[in-house]
Amino acid sequence: MSTHDHTPPGAATGPAGPPPRARTRKATGAPTGLTQGSRARGGIGESTLRPDGTLKVTGEFAYSSDMWHEDMIWGHILRSPVAHAEIVSIDVSGALAQAGVHAVMTYDDLPTDVRYYGLEIQDTPVLAHGRVRHHGEPVALVAADHPETARRAADRIRVEYRELPVVTDEASALAPGAPVLHPDRAPHGAHPNIVHRQPIVRGDVGAAARRADVVVTGEYTFGMQDQAFLGPESGLAVPGEDGGVDLFVATQWLHSDLRQIAPVLGLPAHKVRMTLAGVGGAFGGREDLSMQIHACLLALRTGKPVKIVYNRFESFFGHVHRHPAKLRFEHGATRDGKLTHMKCRIVLDGGAYASASPAVVGNASSLSVGPYVVDHVDIEALALYTNNPPCGAMRGFGAVQACFGYEAQMDRLAAELGMDPVEFRQRNAMEQGSLMPTGQRVDAPAPVAELLRRVQARPMPPERQWETTEGADVRQLPGGLSNTTHGEGVVRGVGYAVGMKNVGFSEGFDDYSTARVRMEVSGGEPVATVHTAMAEVGQGGVTVHAQIARTELGISRVTIQPADTGVGSAGSTSASRQTYVTGGAVRNACREVREQVLRMGRRKFGTYHRAWATAKLLLEGGKVVTDAGEALADLADVLGDEAVEAELEWRHRPTRPFDPHTGQGDGHVQYAFAAHRAVVEVDTELGLVKVVELACAQDVGKAMNPLSVVGQIQGGSVQGLGMAVMEEIVVDPVTAQVRNPSFTDYLIPTILDTPPLPVDVLELADPHAPYGLRGAGEAPTLSSTPAVLAAVRDATGLDLTHTPVRPEHLVAAALAAAPGRTARN
Amino acid sequence: MRVHFTVNGRQHEADDVWEGESLLYVLRERMGLPGSKNACEQGECGSCTVRLDGVPVCACLVAAGQAEGREVVTVEGLAAHAGQRAQRSGGAPARSEGGQAALAPIQQAFIDAGAVQCGFCTPGLLVAADELLDRQPNPSDADIREALSGNLCRCTGYEKIMDAVRLAASRQGEAARR
């Protein structure tokens, strides 16, 4: 924790956190630092309620955009209006002359030689240096006493751009003589505009293809999706008296940020003290840095606390998106419905900077077969550098794009064979013991066929639900309140899909977490304090980690400390990994505390009862008890006025890199599986789609918190629904400029677009994971998109190959037939 | 300029307000009421929903000067507002054990139903849902979806928000019958 005495209101802590510090003007609540005295026991497996729930419903929970300091000024970022240009000159004099402006900074003002950052490859300039590579790239910073003053000052910075030709797709990026995005980078493939490439070869595809009775090829395109978390990128940087800085920010991984920020500021890591502010959703979009370095630079330059808050327009430029993809598949099957082989090529558009592209390629390639057994494969996935917006992490991370393609192929194969699409999938479904295309054996339950069976067995939603005694309720129809149909031209379709996602960081990454757990007596009662750097982004890690502590320590009062860099890294809140990995660290730290407490008890009370020496001892109900249930001592008496503390790192079993040529290797930790059935109704005249029901079945290993895990499954399903029918960042193919950076033009599902979402949770324990749990957050985002597309194909008979499906795709035939019109895709 | 208006029953004023500032900015940055959220600042997401003389509005689209002399209810005042409503309809406002105004039924229902994840959309949804229950104590599912269609949520998929509104409506009905 910082020793600095300037504390933004949000950094003060709530009930039972550390006391508010000096010069805190007003405590408006806190993201964490919460004690939950649960009347129920509140251990794992219970639907314990969120400890931050009350603060979040009263408006007191302090998000990063709520940070406030009485001396603060506002930062603003000037961004490139063009996608690719040489910067000829920058004149900041107009901005500096404006009243209320405290500082203007460009590349030349950066304090050290470290001027680039990046998650995996340090290729992203803190501020543009001589060249911009994408629309919206940061060029200059302004700090001023009012956000509008800062914006107006930024408008007075004169930047002369000399535009360069753009590369926007595989053909232009890999053409001979194409502009090279990063000429200094060592070549990583056949062309310098290839960020990363991963082939996977297994078996004998040629021989297997000759055994196929049917061969189906397909080409699919996947649009650019935005995470669209609601809390904009924001935070507050407060300069410290020691020359360091305190940063309060919304992120997914504090220590990854710190590793990238400190060198650019020229500060040792311990002088950049980061505290997690309230995070308004993330979904991968906060893995990369956004305003962190910029706020710190301005704070250190001006000596004043600096707040930066993006608006929604800027947010669309302020974080990476999900990679758009072109996918080409060939699958073969025998007449009796067994897959013979698969060939595929997946081209991901990484945009101007690398971000997480290499890892996304690893997932897209290694998961491109899906949850099926195919012994003969020839796979290639690659990511490109282009002048499009940078793409990186989003929920599902490479597995989403692949699933859209292979599930469309499964339906085509089933149709070709005249089989039921669910039955065809079940005949080829992987199970425990199956081999991945990487040669890795799936050594935990893989209930793929069962998940499909469960969604198929659900009763169908009633037909024509819009019919009421007073006529059509248009809210139940495609087009909704636009009142475009009362049922005329509306047809129903049903589609299925299943997918698999790796859990945790893969390919040999040292994926650990750190937890510090302390137990002491407070108010006569034993209380545990759990301190990790885990970013709570809404997923409920704070709830589950407290549940783990209650279960392991047998007490009811647990305080979750604010996440900060005062404790070791927790790793990222991504890859469905925090319940697993930080959960594992909390569990083991609790067990270490338990052993210390038992040693203390033996020391103090061992002579009074022989069971201290002979019995297996547990902590339950605030007491030390024998496994036969006999209470030996109150924890309060064992602890007295002493505190017991343990801090440790915890790792899941190691993974290995994929072979660069064959893709073989035990690259993944764990797999998660989900299946969906989508029921849609389509207005075939206007091309409008209403999803009527989206049912999901998912295996979560162990439902640590059933209420929360169902919430994750429903939320992930609806992000997939959005990708199926409305969400796409449209980038102009000629200028590489983003056309729809707003919630007016980039649509995410509203409550009216969203149907009932029945969920079936399976709990087949993974013997390798803490409590048998399986990372759950991402899998439901995979299969919902292809299930909806399959349902729309079923309703319309159209062969749809692009997601999201747009009205013009559905009425293309009618448009083409209309006099004087040309149908365009 | 200087603006005065009532927020959650208390008179507030703010000085040196630039004419272009929204009601949302003045609430959040000048009055110490950051509960109303700033997710899009263009009236699309509903995170900043407040009631202006009883009517739900996006505070980001209301110029601060337009609020002059008017009454604003934000999420911070929702519990007291719902309490007054309960009192008017003959019931006693719920009190917590400590005696302060308890949460509004819709606030408690959001917690109990699991309708809160990141919580950034929650303040706006609560104000909108409370306004629905104010005028329509027993909404159908389609009514709930219509009333909340101006409030985006990215985390929950809305199912548990539906559960929360149904739960609040049923608890409110039970309280009125007692």
Side-chain angles (χ1 to χ4, degrees):
Chain A
M1 292 290 289
S2 155
T3 54
H4 201 274
D5 62 358
H6 288 277
T7 307
T13 51
R21 285 165 285 175
R23 293 176 63 182
T24 297
R25 207 183 80 148
K26 179 167 169 283
T28 63
T32 52
L34 305 154
T35 294
Q36 187 174 42
S38 172
R39 253 168 267 143
R41 189 158 169 274
I44 64 165
E46 294 183 27
S47 288
T48 310
L49 301 177
R50 298 186 66 93
D52 53 12
T54 300
L55 291 177
K56 284 181 172 178
V57 299
T58 54
E60 292 174 84
F61 187 83
Y63 294 89
S64 54
S65 55
D66 302 335
M67 297 290 118
W68 188 91
H69 190 290
E70 55 193 330
D71 297 326
M72 76 186 191
I73 56 176
W74 294 78
H76 184 75
I77 296 139
L78 177 71
R79 294 172 180 274
S80 171
V82 294
H84 197 196
E86 183 188 330
I87 296 177
V88 179
S89 64
I90 303 180
D91 176 3
V92 301
S93 56
L96 281 169
Q98 182 160 317
V101 170
H102 288 253
V104 180
M105 296 181 78
T106 67
Y107 178 87
D108 293 335
D109 301 306
L110 295 175
T112 74
D113 291 342
V114 181
R115 295 174 172 203
Y116 289 76
Y117 67 92
L119 281 177
E120 299 184 32
I121 298 164
Q122 286 68 53
D123 64 356
T124 311
V126 172
L127 291 167
H129 179 218
R131 182 179 177 191
V132 290
R133 294 177 179 82
H134 70 91
H135 184 200
E137 179 158 354
V139 174
L141 309 176
V142 179
D145 55 11
H146 190 283
E148 184 62 18
T149 310
R151 278 191 285 270
R152 290 182 179 194
D155 283 346
R156 297 177 66 173
I157 297 173
R158 295 280 157 255
V159 184
E160 189 186 338
Y161 295 100
R162 183 179 300 137
E163 287 204 54
L164 299 168
V166 295
V167 296
T168 58
D169 57 12
E170 186 179 12
S172 57
L174 303 189
V180 174
L181 268 284
H182 297 278
D184 297 338
R185 193 181 171 221
H188 198 83
H191 192 285
N193 284 338
I194 294 176
V195 188
H196 186 68
R197 176 178 175 273
Q198 179 66 61
I200 299 178
V201 187
R202 186 168 185 80
D204 183 344
V205 165
R210 286 190 290 279
R211 288 196 298 276
D213 295 313
V214 296
V215 173
V216 163
T217 60
E219 288 194 18
Y220 307 92
T221 53
F222 193 101
M224 184 185 292
Q225 188 177 22
D226 188 65
Q227 295 84 354
F229 46 73
L230 286 194
E233 292 90 338
S234 47
L236 177 71
V238 185
E241 281 159 19
D242 62 349
V245 64
D246 290 88
L247 180 61
F248 301 85
V249 71
T251 179
Q252 290 179 233
W253 186 0
L254 288 165
H255 288 79
S256 166
D257 286 9
L258 178 61
R259 179 176 53 79
Q260 298 172 78
I261 296 167
V264 174
L265 302 179
L267 291 172
H270 70 269
K271 285 197 174 180
V272 180
R273 295 163 293 257
M274 295 185 64
T275 303
L276 188 73
V279 185
F283 317 117
R286 298 189 208 269
E287 280 194 25
D288 295 79
L289 295 179
S290 58
M291 47 57 68
Q292 284 92 326
I293 294 175
H294 297 154
C296 292
L297 285 169
L298 290 171
L300 292 170
R301 167 62 78 98
T302 61
K304 284 179 165 291
V306 172
K307 176 172 174 171
I308 294 180
V309 182
Y310 292 178
N311 61 19
R312 183 55 51 181
F313 176 88
E314 185 169 19
S315 179
F316 273 97
F317 296 100
H319 60 259
V320 301
H321 311 293
R322 191 194 294 291
H323 290 73
K326 286 192 162 65
L327 311 100
R328 185 178 186 283
F329 284 91
E330 175 187 312
H331 283 85
T334 56
R335 189 70 59 205
D336 61 350
K338 293 292 275 187
L339 288 164
T340 53
H341 72 286
M342 181 278 237
K343 294 201 288 193
C344 82
R345 185 163 189 276
I346 299 175
V347 180
L348 300 151
D349 183 350
Y353 296 104
S355 182
S357 281
V360 171
V361 167
N363 275 9
S365 56
S366 60
L367 301 169
S368 61
V369 173
Y372 303 108
V373 178
V374 186
D375 295 328
H376 306 280
V377 299
D378 184 353
I379 296 161
E380 178 189 28
L382 55 91
L384 303 170
Y385 279 128
T386 68
N387 293 112
N388 291 328
C391 288
M394 184 176 169
R395 195 177 197 168
F397 201 86
V400 165
Q401 294 92 331
C403 185
F404 171 68
Y406 62 69
E407 285 301 87
Q409 287 285 101
M410 293 304 117
D411 285 338
R412 284 189 179 184
L413 282 162
E416 197 74 23
L417 292 163
M419 286 181 71
D420 175 78
V422 170
E423 189 191 342
F424 176 73
R425 285 173 170 85
Q426 288 170 325
R427 283 196 192 186
N428 293 285
M430 101 179 358
E431 50 194 27
Q432 186 164 357
S434 297
L435 279 189
M436 295 290 292
T438 56
Q440 183 168 25
R441 193 165 294 284
V442 177
D443 59 0
V448 177
E450 172 63 11
L451 293 170
L452 285 162
R453 189 193 67 76
R454 288 188 179 221
V455 291
Q456 190 176 38
R458 275 193 178 277
M460 278 289 172
E463 301 267 351
R464 303 179 72 82
Q465 292 184 76
W466 62 82
E467 288 180 343
T468 74
T469 48
E470 291 126 56
D473 181 347
V474 294
R475 296 172 298 189
Q476 315 263 15
L477 280 159
L481 290 162
S482 305
N483 195 16
T484 48
T485 176
H486 287 187
E488 310 85 354
V490 174
V491 294
R492 177 175 275 203
V494 180
Y496 294 88
V498 60
M500 73 185 295
K501 174 70 183 53
N502 59 318
V503 172
F505 280 28
S506 299
E507 300 185 59
F509 190 87
D510 182 19
D511 191 23
Y512 70 95
S513 182
T514 316
R516 186 186 296 160
V517 175
R518 178 183 172 90
M519 183 149 70
E520 64 207 310
V521 178
S522 170
E525 218 189 317
V527 178
T529 305
V530 176
H531 189 189
T532 75
M534 180 216 50
E536 169 61 44
V537 302
Q539 84 280 19
V542 289
T543 322
V544 168
H545 295 160
Q547 290 176 264
I548 291 171
R550 287 192 202 97
T551 291
E552 295 296 334
L553 298 173
I555 59 177
S556 58
R557 288 184 62 201
V558 177
T559 299
I560 302 289
Q561 286 267 73
D564 58 34
T565 49
V567 63
S569 173
S572 185
T573 300
S574 48
S576 310
R577 65 179 284 289
Q578 283 296 20
T579 302
Y580 190 135
V581 188
T582 299
V586 170
R587 179 194 64 177
N588 281 22
C590 286
R591 289 179 179 177
E592 174 58 30
V593 164
R594 184 173 67 199
E595 292 312 308
Q596 288 184 37
V597 167
L598 292 176
R599 279 199 293 276
M600 198 182 263
R602 288 188 188 101
R603 227 170 32 238
K604 284 189 180 173
F605 303 115
T607 54
Y608 297 107
H609 198 307
R610 32 176 301 136
W612 280 101
T614 56
K616 181 172 163 41
L617 301 180
L618 311 168
L619 305 187
E620 268 180 22
K623 297 177 194 308
V624 179
V625 299
T626 68
D627 58 350
E630 185 184 359
L632 297 183
D634 280 337
L635 281 172
D637 295 329
V638 173
L639 288 161
D641 53 10
E642 289 183 75
V644 171
E645 185 173 290
E647 175 175 338
L648 53 77
E649 288 178 0
W650 188 81
R651 287 169 167 76
H652 55 66
R653 54 188 174 150
T655 59
R656 292 192 179 75
F658 296 129
D659 181 276
H661 305 292
T662 66
Q664 299 301 292
D666 289 355
H668 295 310
V669 186
Q670 186 189 51
Y671 299 102
F673 304 92
H676 280 91
R677 181 188 71 191
V679 180
V680 305
E681 280 158 355
V682 181
D683 179 342
T684 52
E685 293 166 12
L686 292 174
L688 300 173
V689 177
K690 168 95 180 160
V691 182
V692 175
E693 187 197 78
L694 185 59
C696 183
Q698 182 171 341
D699 176 21
V700 302
K702 165 75 183 171
M704 300 290 282
N705 183 313
L707 185 72
S708 292
V709 83
V710 169
Q712 285 295 305
I713 294 168
Q714 291 170 333
S717 297
V718 172
Q719 288 183 3
L721 182 159
M723 188 64 221
V725 296
M726 62 183 80
E727 296 188 31
E728 183 168 12
I729 291 181
V730 179
V731 183
D732 188 300
V734 176
T735 64
Q737 289 176 346
V738 178
R739 284 171 164 173
N740 56 343
S742 75
F743 279 164
T744 308
D745 300 307
Y746 181 92
L747 302 182
I748 64 173
T750 71
I751 197 168
L752 266 179
D753 299 313
T754 306
L757 306 162
V759 173
D760 204 346
V761 173
L762 270 72
E763 297 182 79
L764 303 181
D766 178 344
H768 310 286
Y771 308 110
L773 74 86
R774 205 184 281 279
E778 292 172 289
T781 313
L782 272 61
S783 43
S784 64
T785 306
V788 172
L789 261 287
V792 177
R793 291 187 196 105
D794 182 51
T796 61
L798 294 169
D799 185 24
L800 305 164
T801 58
H802 179 79
T803 201
V805 64
R806 294 193 289 259
E808 61 264 35
H809 302 153
L810 299 176
V811 295
L815 281 180
R821 295 292 301 270
T822 314
R824 287 181 302 173
N825 187 17
Chain B
M1 66 181 186
R2 172 181 291 184
V3 295
H4 322 67
F5 46 87
T6 304
V7 187
N8 302 327
R10 278 186 51 205
Q11 188 64 35
H12 281 254
E13 72 174 43
D15 281 322
D16 300 325
V17 174
W18 171 60
E19 289 78 357
E21 283 176 22
S22 64
L23 171 60
L24 179 64
Y25 184 89
V26 169
L27 288 169
R28 287 175 54 78
E29 303 294 343
R30 297 193 183 276
M31 294 181 172
L33 292 167
S36 308
K37 289 292 171 262
N38 55 325
C40 80
E41 297 178 80
Q42 52 185 194
E44 291 288 350
C45 75
S47 303
C48 62
T49 305
V50 300
R51 291 177 76 170
L52 184 62
D53 289 345
V55 178
V57 296
C58 287
C60 70
L61 294 186
V62 176
Q66 285 177 285
E68 178 67 29
R70 299 171 76 176
E71 287 200 21
V72 177
V73 175
T74 72
V75 70
E76 288 98 338
L78 204 58
H81 184 76
Q84 286 157 13
R85 185 164 76 232
Q87 231 160 3
R88 277 199 306 276
S89 66
R95 299 264 162 202
S96 71
E97 285 163 24
Q100 65 273 58
L103 299 176
I106 191 67
Q107 290 173 310
Q108 190 61 50
F110 263 60
I111 297 175
D112 294 346
V116 178
Q117 288 188 27
C118 91
F120 207 80
C121 68
T122 303
L125 271 159
L126 289 169
V127 173
D130 185 67
E131 193 272 339
L132 168 68
L133 296 178
D134 199 352
R135 63 183 154 80
Q136 205 174 346
N138 291 303
S140 69
D141 283 1
D143 294 337
I144 298 171
R145 290 191 193 275
E146 181 177 349
L148 302 184
S149 61
N151 292 78
L152 296 176
C153 169
R154 191 56 157 169
C155 294
T156 64
Y158 302 106
E159 188 82 348
K160 296 197 179 301
I161 292 171
M162 294 295 296
D163 290 345
V165 179
R166 293 179 196 122
L167 181 63
S170 85
R171 284 177 178 171
Q172 194 171 277
E174 278 168 32
R177 279 192 294 279
R178 273 203 298 270

